[in-house]
């Protein structure tokens, strides 16, 4: 008599790192030849638990070193109170719990939330990582999602049609310390949308379909320049994390050698203690050189590999790419090619970062930034500012967007000459940069026009620093006009709407005499004249965005 396990097979689908283009893990998918065993598992927690165990055993037979994603229904965890057989299966397969992510999937309706949270806590205590699966196409309550505190949030690709929702989820993930992944990506447009929204991981038919053998290579579309605006502090280290090759701290040199010779793509091995904390780092080239020397194998094969390792270099999950470079720079020059371990808030290894990935990405960022700089002032153009505006809108942060220009600049150029005009523009740019405080961003969008994005509390000192200065070109006195729109959370939906509110304020400022400053709010009609004299109307409101901002 045949068992249902006789007709059950498993397929592997890569989880792709959108920054490095590498495979960050493998999701194990049950593929029955007959029947709908997943529907049965949804109703039968014991069956669902057995499927998880079989998935891990199937991965062990494929001898993959990649981190694994195992699917479990939320109701299963709440009913069983954890997955003790899964923990046993992971150990028997020679894997470590922190190499396995439990993808908790819907339905959540009628699942006892407290029991689910207790089961999640038990799994996390054992070392497993937690993923909230099916977000956007399931029924997970937002409060439950935050209480779970997952390490990974998987969004359904259908949400990509609602970029504001994806960006909001990215913001939530940043607060939770979680990675954001998009499932079901089938087209390059969807991939570009996922990258633009800030997702770090993705999976779907575009990269590689589910297959009986773990995929060694995946297709990742090239990233278009400027697809993601990089924060001033630098991209997160999580964007560059690769799977780590982990072995217990007690592993012998022979075990490490077997792993390295059987896996040429592995650049090093991390030895971790019983809690997943890195204790030694074994560099591939230095280790194999020691083992290949005369009597090397005889001397070291049965000895602890830790004796041939070094103290691990580590950074936290909150680090930026630049901070990783700092860790490398202050260490031994002979270890510049060593992987840097990325650890979570409990000190457990979540992966490694390779220096080559960082250098390549940061160099590309610098090239893209340089290409977008105004050649006269070396300030970024409008794209950098509007990208930051959209990010602050998505994060629900208040901001003030200002437009500054020189009054009657054509007459300045005609009277004092273009060289004097250029020097005036450079001087205004330097003054704005010098006055910038906190998270203020300054951009030069061409000619005599500047954009300034600031927090509302920095407006007064910023305005005083540029409007109170005695400006001149070729000995001729010059005045500046400043228009500002303050945008509280929820008052505008994107940078285009903010620009539409700013345009009539600029027109009002230009109608005043002398150095002028007009201030308005996106959520209120009218404006306030802070500087200048004249008869400007106070009825300004949102209008059509002027060229350069939209």
């Amino acid at each position: 008599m045949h068992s249902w396990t006789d007709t059950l097979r498993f397929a592997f689908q890569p989880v792709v790192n959108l920054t490095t283009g590498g495979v960050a893990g493998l999701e194990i998918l049950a593929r029955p030849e007959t029947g709908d065993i997943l529907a049965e598992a949804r109703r039968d927690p014991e069956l669902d638990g057995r499927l998880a165990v079989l998935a891990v055993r199937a991965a062990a037979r494929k001898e993959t070193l990649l981190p694994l994603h195992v699917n479990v229904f939320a109701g299963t965890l709440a009913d069983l109170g954890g997955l003790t057989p899964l923990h046993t299966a992971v150990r028997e397969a020679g894997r470590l719990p922190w190499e396995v992510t439990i993808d908790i999937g819907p339905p959540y309706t009628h699942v006892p939330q407290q029991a689910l949270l207790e089961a999640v806590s038990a799994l996390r205590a054992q070392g497993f990582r937690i993923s909230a699966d099916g977000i956007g196409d399931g029924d997970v309550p937002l409060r439950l999602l935050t209480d779970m505190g997952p390490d990974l949030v998987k969004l359904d690709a259908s949400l990509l049609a609602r970029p504001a929702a994806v960006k909001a989820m990215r913001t939530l993930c940043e607060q939770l310390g979680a990675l954001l992944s998009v499932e079901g990506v089938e087209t390059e447009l969807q991939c570009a949308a996922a990258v633009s929204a800030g997702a770090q991981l993705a999976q779907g038919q575009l990269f590689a379909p589910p297959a009986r053998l773990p995929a060694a290579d995946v297709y990742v579309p090239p990233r278009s320049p400027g697809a993601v605006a990089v924060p001033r502090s630098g991209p997160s280290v999580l964007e560059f994390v690769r799977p780590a090759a982990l072995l217990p701290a007690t592993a012998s040199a022979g075990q490490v050698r077997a792993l390295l010779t059987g896996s040429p793509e592995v650049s090093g091995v991390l030895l971790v203690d019983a809690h997943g904390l890195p204790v030694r780092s074994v560099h591939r080239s230095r280790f194999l050189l020691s083992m290949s020397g005369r009597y090397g194998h005889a001397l070291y094969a049965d000895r602890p590999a830790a004796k041939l390792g070094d103290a691990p270099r580590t950074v936290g999950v909150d680090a930026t790419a630049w901070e990783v470079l700092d860790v490398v720079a202050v260490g031994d020059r002979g270890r510049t090619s060593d992987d840097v371990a990325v650890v979570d808030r409990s000190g457990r290894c979540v992966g490694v970062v390779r220096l080559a990935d960082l250098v390549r990405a940061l160099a590309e960022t610098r090239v893209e930034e340089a290409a977008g700089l105004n050649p006269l002032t070396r300030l970024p153009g409008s794209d950098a500012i509007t990208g930051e505006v959209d990010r602050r809108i998505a994060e629900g942060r208040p901001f003030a967007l200002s437009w500054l220009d020189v009054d009657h600049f054509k007459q300045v150029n005609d009277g004092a000459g273009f060289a004097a005009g250029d020097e005036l523009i450079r001087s205004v740019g330097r003054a704005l940069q010098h006055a910038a405080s906190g998270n203020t961003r300054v951009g030069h969008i061409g000619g005599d026009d500047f954009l300034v994005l600031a927090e509302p509390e920095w407006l007064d000192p910023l305005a005083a620093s540029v409007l109170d200065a005695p400006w001149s070109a070729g000995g001729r006195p010059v005045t500046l006009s400043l228009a500002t729109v303050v945008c509280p959370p929820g008052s505008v939906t994107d940078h285009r709407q903010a620009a539409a509110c700013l345009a009539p304020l600029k027109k009002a400022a230009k109608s005043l005499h002398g150095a002028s400053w007009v201030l308005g709010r996106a959520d209120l009609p009218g404006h306030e004249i802070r500087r200048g004299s004249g008869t400007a109307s106070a009825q300004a409101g949102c209008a059509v965005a002027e060229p350069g901002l939209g």
Side-chain angles (χ1 to χ4, degrees):
M1 180 175 180
H2 291 287
S3 166
W4 56 266
T5 58
D6 294 333
T7 59
L8 180 65
R9 302 292 183 267
F10 289 93
F12 301 87
Q13 185 167 47
V15 179
V16 177
N17 184 315
L18 292 173
T19 299
T20 66
V23 179
L26 294 171
E27 181 172 354
I28 314 172
L29 304 167
R31 290 290 186 263
E33 294 181 5
T34 58
D36 189 354
I37 197 170
L38 293 180
E40 296 179 39
R42 189 179 293 113
R43 299 186 295 267
D44 184 347
E46 293 288 347
L47 174 58
D48 193 30
R50 292 201 297 275
L51 283 177
V53 169
L54 291 173
V56 170
R57 291 175 178 167
R61 289 194 294 271
K62 303 302 181 183
E63 298 181 346
T64 176
L65 292 174
L66 289 166
L68 306 176
H69 289 246
V70 178
N71 293 289
V72 178
F73 290 111
T76 296
L77 293 182
D79 189 81
L80 299 182
L83 296 171
T84 302
L86 177 63
H87 187 269
T88 302
V90 168
R91 291 292 187 183
E92 290 175 348
R95 303 302 294 263
L96 301 170
W98 39 89
E99 297 179 273
V100 178
T101 297
I102 307 298
D103 284 2
I104 306 175
Y108 289 87
T109 303
H110 306 308
V111 173
Q113 294 191 10
Q114 188 57 39
L116 175 60
L117 293 174
E118 289 174 359
V120 167
S121 179
L123 288 170
R124 187 171 276 127
Q126 293 172 0
F128 291 105
R129 303 194 183 284
I130 303 300
S131 167
D133 201 353
I135 305 301
D137 193 39
D139 58 348
V140 57
L142 187 58
R143 185 175 68 179
L144 177 60
L145 179 63
T146 57
D147 288 344
M148 286 170 58
D151 303 286
L152 175 66
V153 172
K154 288 189 173 184
L155 295 185
D156 187 84
S158 62
L159 267 190
L160 293 174
R162 299 168 177 81
V166 182
K167 290 181 180 180
M169 189 57 65
R170 168 62 192 264
T171 301
L172 176 61
C173 285
E174 290 176 352
Q175 297 295 320
L176 296 175
L179 290 173
L180 180 64
S181 180
V182 179
E183 293 185 294
V185 175
E186 297 182 351
T187 67
E188 294 196 5
L189 285 177
Q190 287 182 320
C191 181
V195 172
S196 179
Q200 296 105 338
L201 305 172
Q203 58 190 107
Q205 294 283 344
L206 174 67
F207 311 106
R212 295 290 173 84
L213 293 177
D217 298 303
V218 294
Y219 169 72
V220 180
R223 296 178 66 165
S224 58
V228 176
V230 178
R232 298 180 74 184
S233 57
S236 167
V237 69
L238 292 176
E239 296 181 23
F240 304 93
V241 170
R242 289 177 176 267
L246 304 177
L247 284 176
T250 56
S252 69
Q255 289 175 294
V256 172
R257 183 176 184 274
L259 190 157
L260 291 175
T261 55
S263 307
E265 76 282 0
V266 173
S267 54
V269 176
L270 282 174
L271 304 179
V272 296
D273 66 13
H275 301 290
L277 280 62
V279 294
R280 300 297 282 177
S281 174
V282 179
H283 184 267
R284 180 188 188 89
S285 298
R286 294 197 299 273
F287 174 84
L288 292 179
L289 184 62
S290 298
M291 291 289 287
S292 62
R294 192 176 185 184
Y295 309 122
H297 188 272
L299 284 173
Y300 298 116
D302 296 326
R303 300 182 65 185
K307 292 184 178 296
L308 294 176
D310 301 285
R313 290 176 167 176
T314 62
V315 295
V317 291
D318 298 324
T320 66
W322 294 109
E323 290 174 290
V324 178
L325 293 185
D326 290 340
V327 170
V328 174
V330 300
D332 182 354
R333 290 186 179 180
R335 297 186 60 194
T336 54
S337 62
D338 287 21
D339 294 340
V340 176
V342 181
V343 298
D344 62 18
R345 292 175 178 82
S346 299
R348 298 179 305 196
C349 179
V350 301
V352 295
V353 173
R354 294 181 182 175
L355 181 62
D357 289 339
L358 290 184
V359 172
R360 186 183 306 111
L362 294 177
E364 290 172 354
T365 297
R366 285 290 180 253
V367 169
E368 290 173 7
E369 288 179 353
L373 297 179
N374 187 286
L376 183 62
T377 59
R378 308 305 295 167
L379 289 172
S382 62
D383 286 348
I385 304 300
T386 55
E388 178 66 20
V389 167
D390 286 337
R391 183 159 49 249
R392 296 192 188 188
I393 291 172
E395 294 172 354
R397 296 164 55 191
F399 64 89
L401 185 63
S402 299
W403 192 324
L404 178 83
D405 70 353
V406 178
D407 294 328
H408 312 296
F409 184 64
K410 184 179 185 303
Q411 296 177 20
V412 172
N413 265 345
D414 292 344
F418 71 87
D422 285 352
E423 181 54 37
L424 173 63
I425 295 302
R426 281 192 288 265
S427 298
V428 172
R430 287 194 294 268
L432 286 170
Q433 284 183 293
H434 182 74
S437 302
N439 293 319
T440 300
R441 302 289 302 275
V442 179
H444 182 191
I445 61 176
D448 62 322
D449 291 316
F450 294 86
L451 276 180
V452 183
L453 176 63
E455 295 169 353
E457 56 266 29
W458 293 107
L459 285 175
D460 287 323
L462 178 71
S465 66
V466 291
L467 296 181
D468 289 345
W471 297 103
S472 64
R476 301 166 179 263
V478 172
T479 59
L480 308 180
S481 292
L482 179 67
T484 300
V485 59
V486 176
C487 300
S491 60
V492 291
T493 58
D494 59 18
H495 70 268
R496 293 176 180 82
Q497 192 172 357
C501 295
L502 182 58
L505 300 177
K506 179 195 175 186
K507 183 177 180 180
K510 299 297 289 184
S511 70
L512 300 173
H513 301 298
S516 62
W517 181 21
V518 168
L519 178 70
R521 286 175 59 98
D523 58 341
L524 295 174
H527 61 259
E528 175 187 356
I529 299 176
R530 291 285 187 94
R531 299 282 186 98
S533 60
T535 57
S537 169
Q539 301 303 313
C542 292
V544 177
E546 294 192 9
L549 269 176

